[in-house]
Amino acid sequence: MKYTSKLLIILSFYCSTINCVKGQNTFGNVRSESIFKDFPYTKFVDIAYSPSTSSDYRIKQEGSKIETGKLHEEKMRINFLVPVYKKPGKFEILAGGSYKYQTYHFTEVENDKTNPSFFNLNSKEETHYFSGNLTGIYYAKIMNKLVVLNANLLVDGSNQGYERTIASFTATLPLYKSDKTYFALGAYFTTSHSRLLPLMPTLIYQHKIKDGPWYIDAVLPKSLYLRRMINEKSRFSAGFWLDPSASFIYPDQKGFKQVYVFNKVEVKLDVKYEQNLNENFGFQIQGGISQPYKGVFRETNSSRNFADLYQDMNFYLNAGIFYKLKK
């Protein structure tokens, strides 16, 4: 269990970048378009609201429990992605951005008042998270094999200003492609000091099962789903995904740094329904079980944990609308 926990937290630190690779059409012309043409990963605007039920939490510092209580969260996020330049089969440039408003509701709080080493959180902590990124995608041939190279520059911060700049690089090698199957291996590298392991492997596998409506969609370690087309405009999915998140906390208390980063990863087992209303607009709704692994408070660009937050399983709902560009 100890080693599983360590693996989960290492994976969580770069799943957001894998998601970026997936969402920014890195597959380009090489993935199995016959499977995914009606539900592209690239969406011009994506808006979602996600509440969760309350569950017990514990905050520890250097292994000692300093606070307990109940916690539930609400999130509202807006993502957008704009194609800037494209030379088919050769090169692409995309610009994106994200805004997330998140509230943490702490109730039934009991803390060790004799230990002043952890800052006092409000009963309702509100955070605003902003990020912007520029991505370049280049399709190269190495030893007569197609390689998709992705370079990404991300800046983020909050309503109180800029906080970090993170660069990352991904190389993806498609190994097999047909009308029903796509398989690729890759590697990811980041310059972020908060990542425990800057270089990690990736795996993408998508396969339509025989001639039926079901297909497998895996971008590991980020997600694994079994999907089914209901009709030409809707589909159903069931599976799991790792949901990493980041927020900036400003204690404004004597003896603490000006800003801390709160990173958390949740393992979500859920079902999802997506519906295209027309060529541009659609909506999605999903829900299920969320098992938060661990939240960590850190100084900006540091890999050392200032405090750890553990939370029990809860239930969550995610509902959203999206706008996609015409082909």
Side-chain angles (χ1 to χ4, degrees), residues 1 5 8-9 12 52-58 71-73 75 102 104 241-245 262-269 288-296 309-316:
M1 183 66 183
S5 298
L8 270 175
I9 196 167
S12 74
S52 65
T53 59
S54 178
S55 63
D56 293 337
Y57 78 91
R58 300 158 298 284
L71 169 65
H72 86 269
E73 303 172 42
K75 305 175 188 176
Q102 187 163 356
Y104 302 93
W241 61 298
L242 296 183
D243 182 18
S245 64
F262 178 55
N263 287 317
K264 187 171 73 166
V265 60
E266 299 174 70
V267 183
K268 294 185 173 179
L269 181 66
I289 298 171
S290 175
Q291 176 58 69
Y293 161 61
K294 183 181 180 181
V296 293
L309 183 147
Y310 300 87
Q311 187 179 357
D312 292 347
M313 184 189 74
N314 57 61
F315 296 92
Y316 89 101

Side-chain angles (χ1 to χ4, degrees), residues 95-300:
S98 178
Y99 166 71
K100 180 182 66 175
Y101 171 72
Q102 187 163 356
T103 59
Y104 302 93
H105 299 267
F106 296 93
T107 58
E108 302 180 23
V109 176
E110 295 183 6
N111 51 38
D112 183 0
K113 295 181 180 180
T114 64
N115 186 346
S117 60
F118 185 72
F119 40 83
N120 297 316
L121 293 170
N122 298 316
S123 59
K124 180 181 178 182
E125 285 284 336
E126 298 179 304
T127 65
H128 300 265
Y129 176 85
F130 296 89
S131 69
N133 62 281
L134 188 66
T135 298
I137 303 170
Y138 181 70
Y139 303 91
K141 278 202 171 182
I142 300 176
M143 299 181 64
N144 216 27
K145 292 284 187 179
L146 176 65
V147 179
V148 184
L149 305 175
N150 179 303
N152 185 72
L153 183 67
L154 179 143
V155 295
D156 67 0
S158 72
N159 57 317
Q160 298 198 33
Y162 158 83
E163 295 297 348
R164 302 180 299 183
T165 298
I166 299 173
S168 61
F169 178 81
T170 305
T172 305
L173 175 64
L175 297 177
Y176 181 79
K177 177 206 170 187
S178 69
D179 288 340
K180 294 183 179 181
T181 304
Y182 175 81
F183 176 68
L185 293 176
Y188 156 79
F189 173 78
T190 180
T191 62
S192 174
H193 296 294
S194 65
R195 267 58 171 179
L196 297 180
L197 200 58
L199 181 64
M200 289 290 288
T202 63
L203 183 149
I204 303 168
Y205 177 70
Q206 298 156 336
H207 175 69
K208 188 173 183 179
I209 301 174
K210 295 184 179 180
D211 295 322
W214 294 94
Y215 55 92
I216 300 168
D217 184 9
V219 182
L220 299 174
K222 171 66 180 178
S223 63
L224 173 61
Y225 275 94
L226 183 64
R227 306 191 190 274
R228 185 188 193 282
M229 295 299 298
I230 299 174
N231 53 47
E232 292 182 355
K233 293 186 176 182
S234 60
R235 73 176 178 181
F236 169 83
S237 306
F240 82 89
W241 61 298
L242 296 183
D243 182 18
S245 64
S247 302
F248 294 104
I249 306 294
Y250 300 86
D252 193 24
Q253 296 173 34
K254 186 177 180 180
F256 297 99
K257 300 291 184 180
Q258 181 180 1
V259 57
Y260 291 83
V261 181
F262 178 55
N263 287 317
K264 187 171 73 166
V265 60
E266 299 174 70
V267 183
K268 294 185 173 179
L269 181 66
D270 58 24
V271 295
K272 181 177 182 179
Y273 175 80
E274 298 165 274
Q275 174 74 51
N276 286 319
L277 301 175
N278 54 39
E279 289 185 336
N280 297 112
F281 287 96
F283 72 89
Q284 61 187 37
I285 185 168
Q286 67 188 115
I289 298 171
S290 175
Q291 176 58 69
Y293 161 61
K294 183 181 180 181
V296 293
F297 295 88
R298 294 192 176 100
E299 296 177 21
T300 307

